[in-house]
Amino acid sequence: MSTATEHAIGAAIPRQRRGLSATLHDSWVVAKRNLRRMSRIPEIVVFGLMQPVMFVLLFSYVMGGAIQIPGTHASSNSYIQFLMAGIFAQTVTFATAGASAGIAEDMTKGLVDRFRSLPMARSAVLVGRTLADLCQTAFTVIVLALVALAVGWRIHDGVLRALGAFVLLLLLGYAFSWIGALIGLSVRSPEAATSAGLIWLFPLTFVSNAFVPVGSMPGWLQGIAYWNPFSATVQACRDLFGNQVGPVDSAWPMQHAALVSMLWSVLITAVFSWLSVRKYRSAVG
Amino acid sequence: MAPAIQAENLVKTFGDVRALDGVSLDVPEGTVLGLLGPNGAGKTTTVRVLTTLLRPDSGRAVVAGVDVLKHPNQVRSLIGLSGQYAAVDEYLTGFENLQMVGELYQMTARAAKARALELLEWFNLTEAKDRTAKTYSGGMRRRLDLAAALVVRPPVMFLDEPTTGLDPRNRLALWEVIETLVEQGTTLLLTTQYLEEADRLAHDIAVVDHGRVIARGTADQLKAQIGGERIEVVVHRADLVADAVATLSGYALGEPAVERNTRRITVPVSGGARVLADVIRDLDARSIEIDDIGLRRPTLDDVFLTLTGHVAEAADEENGTDATGRGRGGRGTGGTAGDESGPDQDKQAVAAGTEL
């Protein structure tokens, strides 16, 4: 008995943190861990960058000349102006795959079991993961913006409004990384998580106003495209960057794009973080 | 005294599979319980329930005096878990891994650092502390994983197959660490497929099969349960076998078993070393020359096979166990290795190899 008591004393844990402060502390510890990982596997960050950079270059040089945006004239490198909001938004949503693959890997490697056996906040593993992904997304967006500026993209309405656009983009990216978290917790392998995290993003990002005007789509698809959370963010960014050419579509979500974008992001974050944390608590890995 | 780990009638089903079918066990404070059983018997599921990773469908569990189902987070601060696979982040250094775990146990950053360094020292990882765990060998990772389970000096530890896949040297090193922990008063629940490991580390053994505890006791009790001691004699020449059998019959509790081609005679006896001495004197008096003689008790391998062997589905596991036994037996009984006397011979090798 006495030995065990000594041990219990040895094990006395300074549990000064409770509730929200515990959640924040633990999330920060996990986020720090994930950021360290990223710094040790720079390939992930680099390849995460290459895809959108390639898109910018391909779309602006290869397709830019062929795609005519209504209300503009072809010579005015108008497509890159139209395009960038879409590329930015696509880039932040593709960060989903990072969250899903990372969490699936932690599950298969037994790290989630280790975390779940520790007296830490139940949401911290996922919050820490999504926060680290947010940092990576922010970095990617900055580099991408520099590349875009180099090929002729411009901000027309001032830095403040542009910053507002970046905030909306990061909010969307953060929301989507929670979808990725749920996918990562649900699939059995990191490989499956990578494809499962990406595949649904293609229809989502293409059935939108990101690459072509919605007006050019069949009528039934237009409704979907207008209410797509992705479209709202793209439209809001176009407005805030001053990249809108011609009149904004009259559909309600397009007219109130910034608000709709924000609401979607908050809604997705709320729903998917709740689902993910619930799944994490009962995870069988 | 209340047991440090107590499980009552745990039931857990996954679809059609009844992974736990009423597991009950208790581990008194400061002792080691070895959970022994084939793959899929429910060992890991039991550990997962007791470490708050899995909610059972029914049943009750108390660890370190705290109800596992009602206060899981309180339990988590009192236990250490080291799993089958080394659950360390391979892109963090050894130091960073332990520091992170310390901080997640809610230690201050300074305390977590100090504890990490202390553990790295203890586990002989100081030189490797600033290398990522990716560069570690299997044994080093396992040590780091065990160190991570020890960050808060938990009074109750769960080790799920801690030495599976390790080479003998690393296994021995890990056993020594575990023995030190137990000396210091840690209560330990250990699952293993290695009977040798259970024999060496566990005070008590629970044999698990099909989600139930089918036998419980000390290694000696389990061995006694399936049969008593016996004397084995190998005579020098084949023509001495008949004489030897006649002599041994005077001491035997049952029919002597004779293997002609190895000139080995086995008889069940009671009375231990005294009987053995009598037999030796008797054989000597009759000028029966012997190559080998010994008092054998059933090994844990025998126990395991007897208890789980009748189950057809466990056939694969039997083979696995046999193979392990044979590997170990090979060292001790080189003389029998070339013989082809069927499964019984295998069992002999197992018996000889794991005698302690």
Side-chain angles (χ1 to χ4, degrees):
Chain A
M1 196 67 179
S2 66
T3 39
T5 316
E6 276 161 33
H7 261 264
I9 291 165
I13 299 148
R15 289 228 46 164
Q16 71 277 51
R17 301 181 200 90
R18 296 210 174 267
L20 186 62
S21 101
T23 306
L24 290 177
H25 167 266
D26 296 349
S27 302
W28 165 239
V29 173
V30 177
K32 209 165 56 177
R33 169 231 168 196
N34 283 316
L35 289 171
R36 272 192 178 130
R37 273 177 76 89
M38 285 172 193
S39 74
R40 308 236 160 107
I41 329 170
E43 304 93 280
I44 291 184
V45 180
V46 171
F47 283 109
L49 257 174
M50 271 167 68
Q51 191 265 343
V53 167
M54 219 154 60
F55 263 41
V56 169
L57 300 178
L58 290 175
F59 271 97
S60 62
Y61 289 120
V62 179
M63 294 152 98
I67 300 177
Q68 171 88 40
I69 305 304
T72 67
H73 42 97
S75 63
S76 68
N77 74 0
S78 62
Y79 188 60
I80 184 81
Q81 313 301 330
F82 174 83
L83 178 72
M84 271 323 293
I87 296 284
F88 278 126
Q90 196 185 40
T91 303
V92 301
T93 52
F94 275 27
T96 311
S100 56
I103 285 167
E105 196 184 335
D106 287 352
M107 296 269 291
T108 53
K109 292 259 165 83
L111 268 163
V112 166
D113 276 354
R114 159 127 290 144
F115 287 134
R116 289 179 70 234
S117 76
L118 295 177
M120 59 188 281
R122 296 288 89 186
S123 56
V125 169
L126 302 174
V127 174
R129 174 78 224 183
T130 51
L131 285 179
D133 285 333
L134 185 64
C135 293
Q136 192 195 340
T137 305
F139 172 75
T140 309
V141 165
I142 290 169
V143 175
L144 188 62
L146 295 175
V147 172
L149 286 168
V151 299
W153 172 68
R154 290 294 176 264
I155 294 166
H156 297 282
D157 284 353
V159 176
L160 264 186
R161 280 174 64 84
L163 283 180
F166 285 121
V167 168
L168 287 180
L169 285 167
L170 292 181
L171 275 178
L172 184 75
Y174 189 69
F176 273 54
S177 67
W178 279 105
I179 303 179
L182 186 64
I183 293 171
L185 289 167
S186 307
V187 299
R188 293 267 148 214
S189 77
E191 293 78 16
T194 309
S195 11
L198 274 179
I199 203 76
W200 57 278
L201 285 171
F202 284 99
L204 183 99
T205 55
F206 280 91
V207 181
S208 78
N209 58 354
F211 303 105
V212 293
V214 174
S216 62
M217 296 177 194
W220 60 273
L221 211 53
Q222 288 187 14
I224 298 175
Y226 283 135
W227 281 99
N228 187 342
F230 189 75
S231 297
T233 308
V234 170
Q235 186 57 54
C237 289
R238 257 179 215 145
D239 294 343
L240 292 167
F241 287 139
N243 287 161
Q244 179 62 34
V245 280
V248 176
D249 285 313
S250 60
W252 192 85
M254 296 295 100
Q255 291 290 330
H256 305 84
L259 177 72
V260 174
S261 163
M262 212 155 17
L263 287 177
W264 268 122
S265 294
V266 170
L267 184 70
I268 292 170
T269 305
V271 170
F272 282 87
S273 62
W274 181 74
L275 287 173
S276 301
V277 172
R278 214 179 59 145
K279 182 97 187 159
Y280 171 86
R281 281 169 181 273
S282 63
V284 181
Chain B
M1 182 165 62
I5 304 172
Q6 196 173 12
E8 274 172 31
N9 221 2
L10 296 176
V11 174
K12 180 74 196 177
T13 51
F14 297 111
D16 292 340
V17 185
R18 231 170 145 73
L20 298 184
D21 192 11
V23 167
S24 297
L25 51 84
D26 56 286
V27 189
E29 223 166 81
T31 69
V32 181
L33 176 70
L35 219 51
L36 206 61
N39 279 332
K43 303 188 298 280
T44 297
T45 310
T46 304
V47 170
R48 292 178 64 85
V49 167
L50 292 173
T51 54
T52 78
L53 296 178
L54 195 65
R55 265 192 101 79
D57 300 335
S58 65
R60 203 172 146 264
V62 178
V63 169
V66 183
D67 191 308
V68 174
L69 298 176
K70 286 188 192 135
H71 308 288
N73 225 33
Q74 212 175 321
V75 170
R76 287 178 196 122
S77 57
L78 295 167
I79 60 170
L81 167 66
S82 183
Q84 274 185 50
Y85 25 46
V88 297
D89 189 328
E90 50 185 1
Y91 287 100
L92 295 192
T93 66
F95 174 73
E96 287 166 347
N97 263 296
L98 295 181
Q99 189 195 9
M100 173 181 75
V101 171
E103 288 180 14
L104 292 175
Y105 268 116
Q106 314 300 332
M107 294 166 89
T108 60
R110 182 188 297 188
K113 257 181 205 168
R115 181 62 177 159
L117 291 173
E118 200 175 292
L119 285 166
L120 288 163
E121 178 80 41
W122 186 25
F123 283 86
N124 259 330
L125 291 168
T126 301
E127 271 175 40
K129 77 182 170 69
D130 293 324
R131 271 165 41 200
T132 55
K134 205 177 162 56
T135 66
Y136 286 17
S137 68
M140 289 165 80
R141 279 190 207 203
R142 207 61 79 94
R143 296 210 295 276
L144 184 62
D145 186 64
L146 185 56
L150 292 173
V151 165
V152 284
R153 300 183 186 86
V156 179
M157 300 252 328
F158 296 86
L159 302 181
D160 191 9
E161 301 198 8
T163 64
T164 298
L166 284 190
D167 62 42
R169 199 171 55 94
N170 275 308
R171 177 170 304 158
L172 208 60
L174 220 54
W175 283 354
E176 281 165 11
V177 169
I178 293 169
E179 280 165 344
T180 309
L181 289 174
V182 175
E183 272 166 32
Q184 292 172 356
T186 307
T187 306
L188 177 62
L189 190 141
L190 167 89
T191 79
T192 183
Q193 296 189 41
Y194 301 115
L195 308 167
E196 200 186 348
E197 186 162 287
D199 222 345
R200 167 153 176 181
L201 296 177
H203 300 115
D204 252 338
I205 290 168
V207 182
V208 186
D209 198 24
H210 294 290
R212 307 184 70 94
V213 176
I214 56 172
R216 171 74 197 261
T218 64
D220 285 341
Q221 284 167 350
L222 288 177
K223 288 171 190 170
Q225 194 180 320
I226 68 148
E229 53 201 0
R230 55 198 195 275
I231 288 176
E232 277 182 20
V233 179
V234 178
V235 294
H236 186 61
R237 293 191 319 271
D239 61 287
L240 294 172
V241 168
D243 285 348
V245 169
T247 310
L248 286 164
S249 295
Y251 302 90
L253 296 176
E255 199 65 19
V258 180
E259 293 167 31
R260 294 251 164 230
N261 53 357
T262 54
R263 307 180 307 280
R264 183 189 300 270
I265 305 143
T266 308
V267 289
V269 297
S270 76
R274 215 166 42 78
V275 179
L276 181 64
D278 289 346
V279 169
I280 292 172
R281 268 195 294 274
D282 209 347
L283 288 169
D284 197 39
R286 295 177 194 217
S287 303
I288 300 170
E289 212 179 329
I290 56 175
D291 285 351
D292 189 17
I293 187 164
L295 186 66
R296 307 271 190 253
R297 284 188 297 165
T299 64
L300 222 40
D301 299 73
D302 299 328
V303 174
F304 191 75
L305 289 178
T306 308
L307 287 173
T308 64
H310 63 281
V311 187
E313 294 152 75
D316 281 347
E317 282 308 314
E318 271 184 57
N319 291 336
T321 314
D322 251 342
T324 325
R326 214 173 299 146
R328 281 182 271 130
R331 270 179 285 133
T333 54
T336 58
D339 292 309
E340 293 183 357
S341 33
D344 276 347
Q345 191 56 53
D346 274 355
K347 228 169 173 183
Q348 295 290 358
V350 171
T354 55
E355 205 81 62
L356 289 174

XYZ file of all heavy atoms in Angstrom, chain A residues 153-192:
309
model
N -1.374 39.367 -61.838
C -2.576 39.553 -61.008
C -2.401 40.805 -60.163
O -1.283 41.114 -59.732
C -2.782 38.319 -60.127
C -3.875 38.478 -59.103
C -5.206 38.591 -59.336
C -3.710 38.542 -57.677
N -5.888 38.711 -58.153
C -4.992 38.691 -57.113
C -2.598 38.497 -56.824
C -5.210 38.773 -55.737
C -2.825 38.574 -55.451
C -4.106 38.716 -54.910
N -3.442 41.548 -59.951
C -3.351 42.784 -59.172
C -4.510 42.909 -58.188
O -5.627 42.471 -58.461
C -3.364 44.008 -60.095
C -2.093 44.177 -60.948
C -0.853 44.474 -60.089
N 0.359 44.543 -60.905
C 1.194 43.525 -61.090
N 0.948 42.347 -60.527
N 2.281 43.660 -61.847
N -4.206 43.560 -57.045
C -5.248 43.963 -56.094
C -5.634 45.381 -56.481
O -4.767 46.235 -56.652
C -4.696 43.963 -54.652
C -4.358 42.538 -54.221
C -5.655 44.612 -53.690
C -3.505 42.478 -52.964
N -6.963 45.637 -56.622
C -7.347 46.947 -57.129
C -7.996 47.850 -56.096
O -8.104 49.038 -56.287
C -8.295 46.785 -58.323
C -7.637 46.074 -59.469
N -6.751 46.699 -60.329
C -7.704 44.789 -59.879
C -6.325 45.839 -61.234
N -6.876 44.657 -60.979
N -8.463 47.243 -54.977
C -9.247 48.050 -54.037
C -8.560 48.257 -52.688
O -9.222 48.437 -51.663
C -10.624 47.409 -53.809
C -11.538 47.660 -54.991
O -11.138 48.426 -55.893
O -12.634 47.086 -55.011
N -7.267 48.169 -52.673
C -6.561 48.464 -51.426
C -6.261 47.213 -50.616
O -6.894 46.170 -50.750
N -5.264 47.379 -49.732
C -4.743 46.251 -48.976
C -5.737 45.750 -47.939
O -5.868 44.548 -47.701
C -3.414 46.650 -48.297
C -2.889 45.533 -47.414
C -2.379 47.032 -49.348
N -6.467 46.685 -47.311
C -7.379 46.286 -46.248
C -8.442 45.315 -46.736
O -8.681 44.276 -46.132
C -8.047 47.519 -45.644
C -7.384 48.056 -44.372
C -8.231 49.183 -43.788
C -7.177 46.939 -43.341
N -9.060 45.688 -47.867
C -10.091 44.818 -48.415
C -9.480 43.483 -48.854
O -10.102 42.421 -48.705
C -10.801 45.499 -49.594
C -11.855 46.518 -49.112
C -12.454 47.303 -50.268
N -13.205 46.505 -51.234
C -14.482 46.155 -51.079
N -15.125 46.514 -49.983
N -15.090 45.456 -51.994
N -8.259 43.531 -49.359
C -7.581 42.293 -49.753
C -7.348 41.411 -48.532
O -7.550 40.195 -48.579
C -6.264 42.610 -50.446
N -6.957 42.040 -47.417
C -6.758 41.259 -46.187
C -8.062 40.593 -45.767
O -8.087 39.451 -45.321
C -6.232 42.162 -45.066
C -4.743 42.507 -45.163
C -4.342 43.420 -43.985
C -3.871 41.252 -45.164
N -9.162 41.355 -45.939
C -10.477 40.771 -45.647
C -10.707 39.521 -46.470
O -11.206 38.505 -45.970
N -10.318 39.571 -47.746
C -10.479 38.406 -48.616
C -9.655 37.235 -48.092
O -10.125 36.101 -48.040
C -10.042 38.768 -50.038
N -8.415 37.531 -47.648
C -7.570 36.446 -47.142
C -8.161 35.827 -45.873
O -8.083 34.620 -45.658
C -6.139 36.938 -46.902
C -5.364 37.127 -48.190
C -4.833 38.362 -48.540
C -5.196 36.054 -49.069
C -4.132 38.519 -49.733
C -4.499 36.203 -50.257
C -3.976 37.444 -50.602
N -8.779 36.676 -45.035
C -9.429 36.141 -43.827
C -10.547 35.177 -44.213
O -10.664 34.079 -43.668
C -9.959 37.289 -42.936
C -10.880 36.744 -41.844
C -8.792 38.059 -42.316
N -11.358 35.586 -45.204
C -12.437 34.704 -45.648
C -11.876 33.376 -46.185
O -12.409 32.302 -45.918
C -13.271 35.372 -46.744
C -14.215 36.501 -46.307
C -14.969 37.046 -47.519
C -15.199 36.004 -45.251
N -10.778 33.490 -46.914
C -10.154 32.286 -47.471
C -9.669 31.352 -46.360
O -9.900 30.142 -46.396
C -8.972 32.672 -48.371
C -9.335 33.236 -49.743
C -8.117 33.864 -50.409
C -9.921 32.137 -50.627
N -9.010 31.929 -45.363
C -8.487 31.094 -44.282
C -9.623 30.477 -43.466
O -9.530 29.327 -43.027
C -7.542 31.900 -43.389
C -6.228 32.320 -44.073
C -5.340 33.094 -43.104
C -5.460 31.104 -44.609
N -10.713 31.243 -43.289
C -11.876 30.689 -42.586
C -12.412 29.474 -43.333
O -12.723 28.439 -42.743
C -12.989 31.744 -42.466
C -12.904 32.714 -41.303
C -14.069 33.708 -41.380
C -12.958 31.960 -39.977
N -12.510 29.623 -44.655
C -13.003 28.505 -45.464
C -12.053 27.310 -45.362
O -12.483 26.164 -45.195
C -13.153 28.933 -46.931
C -13.763 27.860 -47.845
C -15.266 27.746 -47.611
C -13.479 28.154 -49.324
N -10.760 27.602 -45.434
C -9.771 26.528 -45.330
C -9.867 25.825 -43.990
O -9.805 24.594 -43.912
N -10.062 26.613 -42.930
C -10.164 26.026 -41.608
C -11.400 25.139 -41.508
O -11.349 24.017 -41.002
C -10.201 27.123 -40.542
C -10.089 26.559 -39.153
C -8.896 25.985 -38.720
C -11.175 26.561 -38.286
C -8.781 25.433 -37.458
C -11.065 26.021 -37.014
C -9.882 25.457 -36.607
O -9.766 24.903 -35.355
N -12.511 25.645 -42.046
C -13.753 24.864 -42.032
C -13.545 23.536 -42.754
O -13.926 22.472 -42.273
C -14.879 25.664 -42.687
N -12.896 23.610 -43.922
C -12.709 22.393 -44.715
C -11.734 21.421 -44.060
O -11.830 20.222 -44.248
C -12.273 22.744 -46.148
C -13.432 22.987 -47.056
C -14.407 23.913 -46.721
C -13.576 22.270 -48.237
C -15.506 24.139 -47.546
C -14.673 22.479 -49.069
C -15.631 23.424 -48.728
N -10.782 21.931 -43.277
C -9.870 20.988 -42.633
C -10.617 20.160 -41.582
O -10.207 19.053 -41.259
C -8.660 21.700 -42.038
O -9.030 22.519 -40.973
N -11.737 20.655 -41.067
C -12.558 19.848 -40.155
C -13.260 18.729 -40.914
O -13.460 17.639 -40.378
C -13.570 20.704 -39.399
C -12.953 21.385 -38.226
C -12.621 22.695 -38.117
C -12.551 20.765 -36.991
N -12.042 22.941 -36.893
C -11.997 21.772 -36.185
C -12.616 19.466 -36.495
C -11.502 21.518 -34.913
C -12.124 19.200 -35.222
C -11.573 20.227 -34.440
N -13.641 19.025 -42.175
C -14.192 17.936 -42.993
C -13.102 16.883 -43.187
O -13.336 15.678 -43.069
C -14.689 18.460 -44.358
C -15.738 19.558 -44.155
C -15.238 17.315 -45.198
C -16.280 20.147 -45.448
N -11.885 17.375 -43.449
C -10.755 16.464 -43.605
C -10.519 15.648 -42.339
O -10.219 14.449 -42.405
N -10.659 16.281 -41.173
C -10.454 15.571 -39.910
C -11.433 14.403 -39.793
O -11.060 13.289 -39.435
C -10.633 16.526 -38.734
N -12.681 14.673 -40.141
C -13.690 13.610 -40.051
C -13.367 12.469 -41.018
O -13.484 11.298 -40.674
C -15.085 14.171 -40.339
C -16.229 13.174 -40.128
C -16.321 12.750 -38.672
C -17.554 13.747 -40.596
N -12.932 12.855 -42.221
C -12.557 11.821 -43.198
C -11.385 11.002 -42.659
O -11.388 9.776 -42.702
C -12.184 12.460 -44.556
C -13.418 13.099 -45.188
C -11.578 11.422 -45.501
C -13.123 13.939 -46.420
N -10.386 11.690 -42.116
C -9.208 11.001 -41.578
C -9.560 10.032 -40.470
O -8.969 8.961 -40.355
N -10.554 10.402 -39.646
C -10.961 9.521 -38.548
C -11.802 8.361 -39.053
O -11.928 7.344 -38.381
C -11.785 10.308 -37.519
C -11.044 11.320 -36.661
C -12.028 12.216 -35.936
C -10.140 10.620 -35.655
N -12.375 8.519 -40.253
C -13.334 7.520 -40.724
C -12.720 6.454 -41.609
O -13.252 5.356 -41.691
C -14.473 8.199 -41.491
O -15.037 9.226 -40.721
N -11.636 6.777 -42.304
C -11.065 5.783 -43.210
C -9.975 4.995 -42.503
O -9.524 5.363 -41.434
C -10.505 6.419 -44.502
C -11.595 7.109 -45.270
C -9.371 7.359 -44.182
N -9.552 3.896 -43.148
C -8.655 2.961 -42.475
C -7.177 3.202 -42.749
O -6.339 2.685 -42.035
C -9.005 1.527 -42.890
C -10.347 1.089 -42.393
C -10.235 0.362 -41.058
N -11.416 0.602 -40.264
C -11.428 0.705 -38.944
N -10.322 0.602 -38.273
N -12.549 0.915 -38.300
N -6.853 3.939 -43.819
C -5.431 4.100 -44.117
C -5.146 5.505 -44.611
O -6.026 6.166 -45.162
C -5.006 3.089 -45.183
O -5.448 3.532 -46.447
N -3.908 5.976 -44.411
C -3.544 7.316 -44.874
C -3.710 7.461 -46.383
O -4.091 8.534 -46.860
C -2.071 7.439 -44.491
C -1.829 6.411 -43.450
C -2.811 5.309 -43.704
N -3.442 6.390 -47.131
C -3.575 6.456 -48.590
C -5.031 6.718 -48.963
O -5.331 7.590 -49.780
C -3.099 5.150 -49.242
C -1.609 4.879 -49.102
C -1.218 4.352 -47.723
O -2.120 3.911 -46.971
O -0.025 4.414 -47.389
N -5.918 5.938 -48.338
C -7.346 6.131 -48.605
C -7.764 7.537 -48.205
O -8.554 8.184 -48.887
C -8.166 5.089 -47.848
